[in-house]
Amino acid sequence: MTTAPADTAGPLAPAYGDKVIAVETAGSEPIPDAERHGSPLQLLWTWASPNIEFATVYIGVISVLFFGLNFWQATAALLLGTALGALTQGVLSLDGPRFGVPQMVIGRFSFGRRGNLLPSGVNALVAGVGWFAVNSVSAAFALNTLTGLRPLPSLLLVVVAEIAIGFIGHNFVHVFEKYAFPALAVVFLLAGAWTFKDAHLGGGGSGGGVGGFLLAFSTAWGYAAGWNPYATDYSRYLPRTASRLKTVLYPAAGLFVSVAIVAVIGAASATIVAPKDVTPTAAFTGHLPGWLGDLTLLAIILGGISANALNIYSSAMSMTSLGLRLPAWLSRGALVVLSGIVGTAAAWASLSDAGAAYEAFLLVIAYWVGPWLGVVLVERWLRTRTPDEELVRRLGDRSFTNWPGLTALLLGVAVSVPLFSNQEKYVGWVPEHWPAFGDITCLVGFAVSAGLYAAIRRSVSAERK
């Protein structure tokens, strides 16, 4: 199979290969066969390490404390939501070896060249500003608790490390996640065992009911599926001959197991009474013995850095996927630094009320991912019989349009958010009249966009015959 033409000026450096300490020069252009390397196994730890961190813990915490579920109800909602997000992560990863381009470039099939500017731009902001801020704040609080260093200097130390990893690029990110994985897994399993020892798993919730369950489910799905727009960013260097089964299995397993275990630990920790007026990270580690509490804080720092290495890298990938003719100095590495500066400013602004900001962010993130994913999965199904040569041509065709995709995406958001969102500052019409619905915005957005896109595409195809 041939590859699509490059998006950016200048050839890919042929000497990058599998070098670790070398700055990656590739942007959104297809990775040549000569540069392909690695195996699907590396996707296991690449998607596990970033989720063994405090942001994942907090999904479980808010399911009990804020959504009113007991431990077992929260666990069911968390496992179900995570499983769905992990499954699509594996499926989308398949297009990495096939086309050799970032996930947001694959989006041109669904939205056309110009229409894809919107989801690519949104993903760049969500990854490089939203998620970068969330994970930097949790790591900064952990460093503050561990050392007594004030929050702002703690934040600056964390973001420097995150930006450096993303700047070096693809191979270094994979290797960093590989060596972070065993350390993170051991510490969080120890902390989890201690947490379950002290937890009150049989305690009743505060009456979250079906609404609370749907809120927890949406939060878990939004968190797991929030990685979907990054999927091929980390599989695009794999050889075309890479096992399809393993390319699906390893990222799905890494994402599901890590999020499921750590979020359930968070739900258990929420049943333990914590002192008032402590930071979220201090509340999580407060019941642990001193040595384990310190190790857990170190792991929270490492986990936050692991997650943001991917966030800031994929933010830059999304910006290169816009297809704009950028000046030569504004390379992928420079975009990483730019994204890091903006994300650091957002993290600084949220230091004073991190818990409330994170709860709202987790729900809002699914508001756009649900409709986007609905269109992308339907398009992926519709193009199963399209010859590879034609698909490659579409990726490189600057005139290619697909207005049904963008239309379905926008209508999915327009229908689901006003009617079904359930936020502190805005309650949609449905939960206002029937609170038991909780917040099913992401589900409705997914269903509406997927259904509309399938219907419009079918109608357009019929007219052309």
Side-chain angles (χ1 to χ4, degrees):
M1 182 177 67
T2 58
T3 58
D7 278 329
T8 56
L12 176 68
Y16 183 60
D18 59 359
K19 292 181 179 179
V20 176
I21 307 300
V23 176
E24 180 191 9
T25 59
S28 62
E29 65 272 17
I31 304 301
D33 288 342
E35 293 285 358
R36 303 293 189 98
H37 61 276
S39 72
L41 178 61
Q42 69 195 41
L43 299 175
L44 178 68
W45 50 71
T46 296
W47 290 116
S49 295
N51 294 295
I52 308 176
E53 52 134 359
F54 187 73
T56 316
V57 170
Y58 207 63
I59 297 173
V61 171
I62 64 177
S63 297
V64 173
L65 292 185
F66 298 166
F67 302 156
L69 301 179
N70 64 36
F71 170 79
W72 299 108
Q73 293 168 334
T75 296
L78 293 168
L79 293 180
L80 180 59
T82 301
L84 293 178
L87 176 62
T88 50
Q89 183 75 7
V91 171
L92 293 179
S93 295
L94 279 172
D95 283 338
R98 186 179 183 187
F99 297 108
V101 294
Q103 188 64 55
M104 285 295 106
V105 173
I106 299 295
R108 293 174 187 168
F109 290 134
S110 303
F111 307 104
R113 186 77 176 214
R114 292 184 178 179
N116 196 50
L117 293 174
L118 178 61
S120 294
V122 169
N123 194 55
L125 289 174
V126 168
V129 179
W131 279 119
F132 187 84
V134 163
N135 292 308
S136 295
V137 167
S138 64
F141 277 139
L143 185 58
N144 163 253
T145 304
L146 181 65
T147 65
L149 187 66
R150 293 182 63 83
L152 180 56
S154 299
L155 174 66
L156 295 178
L157 287 175
V158 166
V159 299
V160 167
E162 295 164 345
I163 293 171
I165 297 169
F167 178 82
I168 296 173
H170 177 274
N171 292 347
F172 190 76
V173 169
H174 276 295
V175 171
F176 180 83
E177 306 297 352
K178 177 180 180 179
Y179 288 102
F181 177 60
L184 290 168
V186 168
V187 173
F188 268 88
L189 287 175
L190 286 172
W194 207 281
T195 297
F196 275 97
K197 179 179 69 69
D198 295 339
H200 307 287
L201 304 184
S206 58
V210 175
F213 185 91
L214 291 173
L215 279 166
F217 166 81
S218 296
T219 302
W221 185 48
Y223 183 86
W227 293 112
N228 289 180
Y230 308 4
T232 68
D233 296 2
Y234 305 96
S235 64
R236 74 192 201 281
Y237 275 87
L238 292 179
R240 300 179 192 278
T241 56
S243 166
R244 289 175 57 83
L245 176 61
K246 293 178 181 179
T247 303
V248 173
L249 178 62
Y250 284 130
L255 183 57
F256 174 75
V257 173
S258 59
V259 174
I261 291 177
V262 177
V264 169
I265 291 172
S269 74
T271 68
I272 304 171
V273 178
K276 293 183 178 180
D277 301 324
V278 297
T279 65
T281 50
F284 175 64
T285 60
H287 68 283
L288 302 176
W291 64 272
L292 183 54
D294 289 346
L295 282 177
T296 304
L297 289 170
L298 284 172
I300 289 172
I301 297 168
L302 179 60
I305 294 172
S306 296
N308 271 351
L310 268 64
N311 285 318
I312 198 168
Y313 179 85
S314 285
S315 176
M317 285 290 98
S318 294
M319 284 187 273
T320 65
S321 299
L322 293 170
L324 305 177
R325 298 189 183 278
L326 301 174
W329 62 268
L330 201 54
S331 63
R332 180 207 61 82
L335 291 172
V336 166
V337 176
L338 176 63
S339 177
I341 293 172
V342 178
T344 300
W348 186 0
S350 64
L351 281 174
S352 60
D353 193 15
Y358 185 42
E359 178 193 358
F361 179 74
L362 278 172
L363 287 170
V364 171
I365 185 62
Y367 289 0
W368 89 274
V369 171
W372 173 86
L373 189 58
V375 174
V376 167
L377 290 180
V378 170
E379 169 59 30
R380 198 176 193 285
W381 173 67
L382 291 174
R383 60 179 163 86
T384 52
R385 296 185 180 180
T386 305
D388 284 343
E389 291 75 11
E390 170 60 20
L391 294 176
V392 166
R393 184 195 66 78
R394 290 181 192 174
L395 285 181
D397 185 357
R398 289 186 171 272
S399 64
F400 175 69
T401 61
N402 190 4
W403 65 265
L406 186 60
T407 301
L409 171 65
L410 294 175
L411 287 176
V413 174
V415 170
S416 61
V417 174
L419 290 179
F420 292 92
S421 61
N422 191 359
Q423 293 290 309
E424 182 179 346
K425 295 183 178 180
Y426 177 76
V427 178
W429 187 83
V430 172
E432 183 178 2
H433 290 80
W434 296 282
F437 274 96
D439 191 325
I440 58 172
T441 309
C442 57
L443 295 174
V444 174
F446 176 89
V448 169
S449 291
L452 279 174
Y453 184 60
I456 299 173
R457 275 289 304 271
R458 188 179 298 112
S459 175
V460 171
S461 298
E463 290 177 0
R464 289 175 178 173
K465 290 182 179 179

